[in-house]
Amino acid sequence: MEPHEQSNVPNIDGEGDCSISGFDSAEKVIIRWDATASEEAREKMIFNDPHEVKLYLQAVDEIQRFLSSGGEIENRANSAIQIAMARLEDEFRNILVSHSSPINSDSLMLSSCSSAQLEVDEDGSNNGNCNEEDEQEEEETDLLKRSGSSSGSGSGTVRLPTGRGSYSRSTSSIREIELIPIEAVVHLSWIARRMVSAGYLRECIQVYGSVRKSAVDSSFRRLGIEKLSIGDVQRLNWEALEQKIRRWIRAAKICVRVVFASEKLLCEHVFDSVGAINIHEACFMETVKGPAIQLFNFAEAISISRRSPEKLFKILDLHDALIELLPDIESVFDLKSSDSIRVQAAEILSRLAEAARGILSEFENAVLREPSRVTVPGGTIHPLTRYVMNYISLISEYKPTLIDLIMSKPSRNSTDSNTPDFDFSELENNKGPLALHLIWIIVILQFNLEGKSKYYRDAALSHLFIMNNAHYIVQKIKGSPELREMIGDLYLRKLTGKFRQAATYYQRAAWVKVLYCLRDEGLHTKGSFSSGVSRSALRERFKSFNALFEEVHRVQSQWLVPDSQLREELKISILEKLSPAYRSFLGRFRSHIESGKHPENYIKISVEELETEVLDLFEGYSATQHLRRRSEFFAGEPKTEQERKKD
């Protein structure tokens, strides 16, 4: 039980002899523990001995009764109280330092107490039952057990100010844990009450804030939170910044829900019974204001940093983490003195949202203006196409966040010839702004690709390039349920029609001359139908066909259709037109060539061989590989890939 203060004011005359005697005894106790005058007092701490605690606190209470008594005894009381306050300040600091350590970041276990109030009795027993309860949440993967002793001793029964329940509390997200053992909290409360009543409020707050802030700083270091200015953050390269953002998101949840929340609870328990108005608020802000500003300055630096497309998703991660934390921030920093922390968090959230909107707009412009003129070999998928489609696939995964952030539809300059013409009206009825932005990105990507296709000298390769890229776009949309839902089947059908149209244009550009060689026109001599085939014209026709087919085969075996299914479908489509035409042509005119001299110079390839050679197309062979395969083909049966590897 805590020593009780005597309520009667001493009478210096006559009947006050007993009180003066009590003052003398109290003064001796105070002087005995004067660290400036006694080696023993410097080496020992009062609060290590429950008996000495009781004597010393009773002595302080006794001395305080004489502070306004007047005369010589008041002077003695003032002198003694100064010595006592200096001693109690040292004891206060020692208790805090002895029990202040960073939160252990190797476990997810959190200590909690089930009792509504805890009592510490004179005999050192604890009438509250404290049980450790393991709680684990996926989003707080680095938080660890912080357990504390609940046994203690005092000089009487003290009920801790547990207005909202036990010393360690747990809500759905906030995890308040025991930072300091119950016994130490009781001792701190006893000391704080006497320092404040003696007029040493400022000293009490400064000591408490200094020691506990050091503990918070240690927890920050253990959680990987560095002291970086806004300038420091903005000078980091993106790869390093990505790692720090991931670490910050994880650590920020622990800082708000555990570190700050637990510091606030500790302040309440130490200072609620002191009597001074709002002292626990002052101590809490003295402890955490600096660390809180340090914590949120990192997110603020990201929110105002230079915008670039690769930053979007980490900014959205920060936004999601902060919006999830905002109710907890408002709960922990619900005091008037902590308005600035709540305002800073809300402003950062707003700036992150604006940064995300700005990055999306800048990304659209970057896709539209991407200037590269170097053609990709073989008409394959352009790196820009892969990048953009992977990017918007990721955007679709952030749909819940971006739907709330993207509130306006895309805008285009109708007078700018470098901007694609696209009518959104037929899509707007059932598409939100985010979906329209994704469709617009695909539109401007295709517009850019159309421009790049013009740098191919071969029209057939230009169409093959468009076909490959349009097909890739369609497949990426189909492969992402979220993206497909937002793009919608109507626009997806348009995209599918786009690559099929390009495939048709490719076949016309690449094969019309070859097929033109297999027509009958120009082979018959005038006025004769039974034997009126011009052998010389026929020979020239076969020579033209052979030369054109060889050239097409040589060139297009180096072209590339990376999608295996599309590649096979395209080959089949070519053979469906070429094989019947060549078979029919041979059937009609083979005899005319074979009845003459050197037929092998004109009929160089059978239908089966033609079909085999068509199967070589779009494999992306180099010129050397093509020559090797041609020599193998005409030397006999072409070797398989495994046979060539063995050679």
Side-chain angles (χ1 to χ4, degrees):
M1 179 176 176
E2 183 181 5
H4 293 289
E5 298 182 68
Q6 301 296 324
S7 60
N8 58 308
V9 178
N11 181 357
I12 306 302
D13 300 321
E15 296 179 4
D17 290 344
C18 183
S19 295
I20 294 175
S21 175
F23 175 86
D24 291 337
S25 298
E27 186 181 39
K28 289 178 181 179
V29 172
I30 299 299
I31 293 173
R32 179 164 61 86
W33 286 101
D34 183 2
T36 63
S38 167
E39 183 69 26
E40 181 181 6
R42 284 194 293 273
E43 294 177 353
K44 294 182 179 180
M45 302 306 296
I46 297 172
F47 278 78
N48 288 339
D49 185 336
H51 177 68
E52 291 294 341
V53 170
K54 180 178 181 179
L55 290 178
Y56 197 83
L57 293 182
Q58 287 178 338
V60 172
D61 293 343
E62 182 69 16
I63 294 296
Q64 284 187 310
R65 294 174 54 241
F66 289 87
L67 289 177
S68 301
S69 59
E72 177 62 24
I73 198 166
E74 182 179 344
N75 293 334
R76 288 170 60 192
N78 284 327
S79 177
I81 208 67
Q82 289 180 15
I83 295 171
M85 291 302 107
R87 181 70 203 200
L88 286 180
E89 183 178 325
D90 288 342
E91 296 284 339
F92 195 70
R93 180 183 293 103
N94 182 69
I95 294 171
L96 285 169
V97 171
S98 299
H99 298 289
S100 292
S101 59
I103 291 177
N104 187 346
S105 59
D106 298 322
S107 161
L108 283 168
M109 293 184 295
L110 300 169
S111 60
S112 64
C113 297
S114 58
S115 58
Q117 62 183 22
L118 297 176
E119 296 181 355
V120 181
D121 288 340
E122 188 176 61
D123 60 1
S125 64
N126 183 357
N127 289 340
N129 296 318
C130 181
N131 298 316
E132 291 183 350
E133 178 182 347
D134 295 345
E135 297 184 57
Q136 182 170 357
E137 291 190 347
E138 292 179 1
E139 75 273 13
E140 295 177 355
T141 56
D142 284 346
L143 183 62
L144 281 182
K145 180 179 181 182
R146 202 39 206 118
S147 61
S149 168
S150 59
S151 63
S153 60
S155 4
T157 299
V158 175
R159 294 182 181 273
L160 293 182
T162 55
R164 287 177 288 171
S166 61
Y167 177 41
S168 294
R169 294 193 301 250
S170 173
T171 66
S172 59
S173 58
I174 292 178
R175 300 286 187 266
E176 295 164 323
I177 61 176
E178 184 181 283
L179 297 174
I180 293 180
I182 300 300
E183 176 189 12
V185 172
V186 172
H187 290 169
L188 290 170
S189 183
W190 288 347
I191 295 172
R193 189 180 309 163
R194 285 160 177 84
M195 290 184 71
V196 172
S197 67
Y200 284 75
L201 172 62
R202 180 184 297 275
E203 290 81 356
C204 185
I205 292 174
Q206 288 176 345
V207 171
Y208 183 91
S210 173
V211 176
R212 288 309 307 167
K213 182 180 179 298
S214 294
V216 173
D217 288 341
S218 296
S219 295
F220 270 35
R221 286 192 295 273
R222 184 165 289 189
L223 291 167
I225 300 175
E226 304 172 65
K227 287 188 176 181
L228 298 172
S229 67
I230 290 177
D232 292 334
V233 173
Q234 294 182 335
R235 282 189 291 271
L236 289 171
N237 65 63
W238 180 241
E239 185 177 339
L241 203 54
E242 271 190 306
Q243 295 177 350
K244 292 185 185 298
I245 290 173
R246 282 194 295 269
R247 185 182 302 153
W248 186 91
I249 290 172
R250 188 170 58 245
K253 295 177 181 180
I254 300 169
C255 289
V256 172
R257 293 171 174 172
V258 180
V259 178
F260 294 158
S262 300
E263 289 292 344
K264 182 181 180 184
L265 183 63
L266 179 61
C267 285
E268 292 174 358
H269 287 325
V270 171
F271 296 106
D272 260 2
S273 61
V274 168
I277 298 176
N278 297 333
I279 183 174
H280 69 278
E281 295 185 17
C283 287
F284 175 60
M285 290 308 295
E286 183 81 11
T287 300
V288 305
K289 185 173 183 178
I293 291 173
Q294 175 191 341
L295 178 71
F296 293 122
N297 272 353
F298 178 86
E300 182 171 2
I302 301 298
S303 72
I304 61 177
S305 64
R306 184 182 64 85
R307 296 171 183 175
S308 56
E310 71 272 10
K311 294 182 179 179
L312 175 62
F313 304 108
K314 283 304 170 188
I315 283 178
L316 292 176
D317 287 341
L318 272 176
H319 179 275
D320 287 350
L322 199 53
I323 204 167
E324 178 187 342
L325 273 176
L326 202 57
D328 300 321
I329 293 170
E330 292 174 348
S331 174
V332 173
F333 295 97
D334 61 344
L335 310 172
K336 183 174 178 57
S337 56
S338 56
D339 281 349
S340 60
I341 304 297
R342 297 196 305 275
V343 169
Q344 184 185 17
E347 288 178 347
I348 292 170
L349 191 64
S350 176
R351 282 195 290 269
L352 287 170
E354 184 57 38
R357 286 189 286 267
I359 288 174
L360 184 62
S361 177
E362 290 177 17
F363 177 73
E364 292 170 356
N365 288 328
V367 173
L368 182 62
R369 310 297 178 191
E370 199 280 327
S372 65
R373 296 188 176 188
V374 179
T375 57
V376 292
T380 189
I381 300 162
H382 198 282
L384 178 65
T385 307
R386 294 185 187 275
Y387 177 73
V388 170
M389 292 311 299
N390 287 334
Y391 196 87
I392 66 172
S393 293
L394 279 173
I395 286 178
S396 69
E397 294 179 10
Y398 286 83
K399 175 183 174 182
T401 300
L402 285 169
I403 278 181
D404 292 334
L405 299 185
I406 307 301
M407 296 170 286
S408 60
K409 67 179 184 179
S411 59
R412 61 174 297 273
N413 186 351
S414 57
T415 62
D416 186 358
S417 60
N418 294 318
T419 302
D421 185 16
F422 188 79
D423 184 9
F424 285 101
S425 60
E426 62 184 33
L427 298 173
E428 288 179 5
N429 291 333
N430 58 356
K431 294 296 176 188
L434 176 60
L436 292 175
H437 274 276
L438 296 185
I439 292 172
W440 177 240
I441 290 171
I442 294 173
V443 169
I444 59 181
L445 170 62
Q446 289 186 299
F447 182 78
N448 191 312
L449 293 172
E450 290 283 355
K452 296 184 189 305
S453 72
K454 294 178 173 60
Y455 296 118
Y456 288 102
R457 294 180 181 179
D458 190 321
L461 183 55
S462 175
H463 294 307
L464 190 79
F465 171 76
I466 293 297
M467 179 201 72
N468 276 328
N469 284 269
H471 181 266
Y472 180 83
I473 292 169
V474 168
Q475 293 307 109
K476 289 294 288 187
I477 294 172
K478 289 181 176 179
S480 169
E482 296 85 0
L483 185 57
R484 182 168 187 168
E485 180 186 358
M486 283 192 285
I487 297 299
D489 290 338
L490 176 62
Y491 188 64
L492 186 58
R493 284 194 295 272
K494 288 187 176 183
L495 289 171
T496 303
K498 180 77 173 178
F499 87 76
R500 295 195 184 283
Q501 182 186 57
T504 300
Y505 288 163
Y506 149 76
Q507 291 183 64
R508 289 177 184 173
W511 294 99
V512 67
K513 290 182 180 179
V514 177
L515 291 169
Y516 192 68
C517 292
L518 303 179
R519 75 194 191 285
D520 289 0
E521 290 84 357
L523 297 179
H524 296 278
T525 57
K526 292 182 179 180
S528 176
F529 294 97
S530 58
S531 59
V533 175
S534 170
R535 184 172 291 173
S536 62
L538 186 59
R539 286 174 176 173
E540 286 301 315
R541 187 67 62 82
F542 268 105
K543 287 171 66 175
S544 297
F545 174 83
N546 292 334
L548 284 171
F549 182 78
E550 168 61 23
E551 179 63 13
V552 168
H553 182 272
R554 182 189 68 79
V555 171
Q556 297 194 25
S557 64
Q558 299 175 50
W559 294 358
L560 185 61
V561 177
D563 185 87
S564 59
Q565 182 177 344
L566 178 61
R567 183 168 63 244
E568 295 308 310
E569 288 176 357
L570 191 58
K571 291 176 183 179
I572 291 170
S573 180
I574 293 168
L575 288 174
E576 284 176 348
K577 299 176 181 66
L578 185 60
S579 291
Y582 187 58
R583 181 179 288 107
S584 176
F585 191 79
L586 280 180
R588 294 195 303 275
F589 301 111
R590 179 193 294 270
S591 61
H592 295 282
I593 297 297
E594 290 180 343
S595 63
K597 295 179 181 179
H598 306 294
E600 70 278 2
N601 290 339
Y602 307 103
I603 303 177
K604 291 186 173 183
I605 188 170
S606 68
V607 175
E608 292 74 17
E609 290 168 339
L610 178 140
E611 292 174 346
T612 300
E613 293 213 5
V614 168
L615 296 179
D616 275 347
L617 303 182
F618 318 126
E619 298 288 348
Y621 294 130
S622 66
T624 303
Q625 287 173 316
H626 169 74
L627 290 173
R628 185 186 302 122
R629 287 182 63 80
R630 292 293 290 170
S631 63
E632 290 171 356
F633 182 85
F634 287 107
E637 190 69 24
K639 293 183 179 181
T640 66
E641 189 67 29
Q642 290 181 341
E643 288 172 335
R644 286 195 300 273
K645 289 180 179 178
K646 288 180 181 179
D647 293 342

